[in-house]
Amino acid sequence: MKKTLLVIAVLISIAIAPFLIDEKGYILIAMGDLTLEMTVVSALLMLVIAGFIGILIYWMVRLGFRLTSSTWRKMLFASKARAKREFQQGLGAFLLGDYQRAEKLLASSAENSELSNSAWLLAAKASHQIGDSASTQNFLQLVDEHPAAKQNFSFETLLLAARLQMQTGHLDKARRLLDDHHTLIGHDARLIALDCEVNIDLDKYDAAIEGLKRLRKQKNADADVLYTLEFDAYRGLYQQLARSKSIDAVGKHYKGLSRKEKQSEGLIIAYADTLMANGLTENFENLVLPRINAKSSASFINAVKQLPISNAQHIIDAIQKILQKDPQNIMWLSALAHICYADNQTEKAHKAFISLFKIEKHKDDLLTYAHLLEDMGEYQQANRVYQEIV
């Protein structure tokens, strides 16, 4: 410190010396064609200024070396660290059900977070949980438009954002979001299914059916999801045809389908449901039997057992054949019991229910069994079953 002060004092002395004498003095610097002339005073002033700048730089460098690497990281990345902390706190609040606090923390962290999409989506879900629809739409708009969110827009982001738009009743915005990012939909079964679902909710049944053709080609498509979408799409289309034209138009459409399309489980039940709604209950066995096999989905079998199928001996035989290989399969035991009851095969139905209840009991099975007992005149036992349901 003393040496520094001494240097400054010398420089100041040199700088003011010319003022104490009459001769100003000149300095001439020549470098090739360049000639620079200045007074001694000017040169000394520049030297003093340069000296101060040099000292300032020296102290800044020393200060920089004294600061640890962790201190520099804290100074440079303080906003990201805060965003990470707020995201973690917001996620914790969300999981604990404190949606108001979660919304605030997650929205605050999103701008500087590496998980900006997740932060805004969770904030949107939190605001939806507390009924703040305006904030929900604001966060979803940020997911769709903000540069930080666009950089990491993924299958999951589109899936969650569109699903949340549907949950908040904004089907048109969900449709637009999917259209804007249609390139992401092509090879993801979840997004194809969601695309179909949005079209069904918008009564665009033809578009939904086209989407189902792509979904069937996906090896990882969920069988129950596929069934549900097929049923909703074709039932909506057939109800639309029945209202605008006639039930004959429904039959004509079904007959015009390819053999492969007629094997679709949801389509079969949708067609049967439409026929039942119009008082047509014949030939259900021929409609359903081709799809009764060991690979049938639970959704399809649960729907079949609710149909008022009469003369169902061929279906019963097919189910019994499957049960020979897997006698404790509760899905097929339940189907056998219900279909035998619908076909007035009381003894077979009773035996199937007893076998089923040794393994597992469900309310819908118990209810049908109680009706069966009443038909058999076993009223006291039926009452005990009703009490068990309650």
Side-chain angles (χ1 to χ4, degrees):
M1 186 66 181
K2 291 181 179 180
K3 292 180 179 179
T4 303
L5 293 174
L6 181 60
V7 171
I8 294 173
V10 170
L11 291 174
I12 293 174
S13 300
I14 295 172
I16 65 174
F19 293 101
L20 302 177
I21 59 177
D22 293 333
E23 293 294 331
K24 293 183 178 181
Y26 289 90
I27 295 175
L28 181 65
I29 301 173
M31 297 179 64
D33 296 333
L34 179 64
T35 301
L36 183 62
E37 183 179 356
M38 66 181 72
T39 65
V40 174
V41 175
S42 299
L44 291 174
L45 286 174
M46 291 179 63
L47 184 61
V48 171
I49 293 171
F52 277 114
I53 293 173
I55 293 169
L56 180 62
I57 293 173
Y58 168 75
W59 282 107
M60 289 179 66
V61 171
R62 284 193 62 181
L63 179 62
F65 278 115
R66 287 179 180 177
L67 292 174
T68 63
S69 58
S70 61
T71 305
W72 279 111
R73 284 198 298 270
K74 288 179 181 178
M75 292 173 62
L76 294 174
F77 303 107
S79 59
K80 287 189 176 182
R82 183 173 61 253
K84 183 179 180 179
R85 183 173 63 255
E86 289 178 339
F87 179 82
Q88 292 173 338
Q89 291 173 344
L91 181 59
F94 185 91
L95 294 174
L96 291 171
D98 188 356
Y99 298 116
Q100 191 167 8
R101 184 167 182 266
E103 177 195 353
K104 182 179 179 181
L105 287 167
L106 290 164
S108 176
S109 72
E111 189 75 34
N112 296 307
S113 174
E114 294 179 357
L115 302 171
S116 56
N117 283 332
S118 299
W120 272 314
L121 284 171
L122 285 168
K125 184 66 176 179
S127 60
H128 174 56
Q129 292 293 115
I130 59 178
D132 188 351
S133 58
S135 294
T136 302
Q137 287 303 308
N138 180 53
F139 295 138
L140 289 174
Q141 187 173 354
L142 287 169
V143 171
D144 189 29
E145 298 178 356
H146 198 280
K150 281 188 173 182
Q151 289 177 0
N152 299 309
F153 206 92
S154 63
F155 293 111
E156 289 74 16
T157 301
L158 179 57
L159 187 68
L160 292 170
R163 176 69 66 186
L164 195 51
Q165 289 285 19
M166 291 180 66
Q167 291 175 353
T168 55
H170 293 85
L171 292 174
D172 54 335
K173 291 184 178 180
R175 179 68 271 162
R176 182 186 60 78
L177 186 63
L178 291 169
D179 290 340
D180 289 345
H181 300 279
H182 65 277
T183 54
L184 294 175
I185 298 174
H187 304 289
D188 188 274
R190 299 167 301 171
L191 286 171
I192 296 173
L194 182 62
D195 184 66
C196 293
E197 187 177 346
V198 172
N199 282 327
I200 291 169
D201 289 344
L202 290 171
D203 297 338
K204 297 180 179 180
Y205 302 116
D206 289 326
I209 291 170
E210 285 299 313
L212 286 170
K213 293 178 182 178
R214 289 184 293 156
L215 185 58
R216 293 189 191 102
K217 296 177 183 178
Q218 301 296 316
K219 294 181 180 180
N220 59 340
D222 184 270
D224 290 329
V225 171
L226 182 58
Y227 165 81
T228 301
L229 292 172
E230 285 176 343
F231 176 73
D232 290 340
Y234 281 102
R235 184 181 62 171
L237 177 64
Y238 287 158
Q239 287 178 344
Q240 199 175 70
L241 283 173
R243 287 194 304 267
S244 61
K245 295 181 181 180
S246 66
I247 191 63
D248 293 333
V250 175
K252 184 177 179 180
H253 181 277
Y254 179 78
K255 290 176 182 177
L257 296 173
S258 67
R259 183 178 179 181
K260 187 175 182 179
E261 287 176 310
K262 288 180 181 178
Q263 293 178 348
S264 300
E265 296 177 339
L267 166 60
I268 293 169
I269 301 301
Y271 183 52
D273 182 76
T274 306
L275 293 177
M276 282 191 296
N278 288 271
L280 303 175
T281 58
E282 297 180 358
N283 300 322
F284 276 180
E285 186 180 49
N286 294 333
L287 186 64
V288 171
L289 184 59
R291 288 300 302 162
I292 299 294
N293 56 63
K295 295 182 179 180
S296 300
S297 70
S299 298
F300 177 71
I301 298 305
N302 288 331
V304 167
K305 73 183 186 183
Q306 302 300 326
L307 295 175
I309 302 175
S310 57
N311 301 317
Q313 187 58 50
H314 291 97
I315 294 177
I316 292 171
D317 292 341
I319 294 174
Q320 286 180 320
K321 187 176 180 179
I322 295 170
L323 283 169
Q324 286 176 358
K325 297 180 179 179
D326 188 9
Q328 291 191 323
N329 188 303
I330 58 174
M331 181 183 77
W332 289 109
L333 279 172
S334 176
L336 178 63
H338 282 268
I339 293 172
C340 285
Y341 175 69
D343 199 32
N344 294 318
Q345 297 191 34
T346 305
E347 186 176 345
K348 279 188 178 181
H350 186 270
K351 187 177 179 179
F353 275 123
I354 295 300
S355 298
L356 173 63
F357 294 148
K358 289 179 181 178
I359 305 169
E360 194 168 294
K361 293 181 180 180
H362 286 288
K363 285 186 176 181
D364 58 336
D365 297 319
L366 288 168
L367 183 60
T368 303
Y369 181 55
H371 294 327
L372 173 64
L373 291 172
E374 288 179 330
D375 294 342
M376 295 172 62
E378 301 287 345
Y379 299 110
Q380 290 184 352
Q381 191 174 350
N383 287 333
R384 285 196 292 269
V385 175
Y386 281 128
Q387 290 174 1
E388 189 174 350
I389 296 172
V390 176

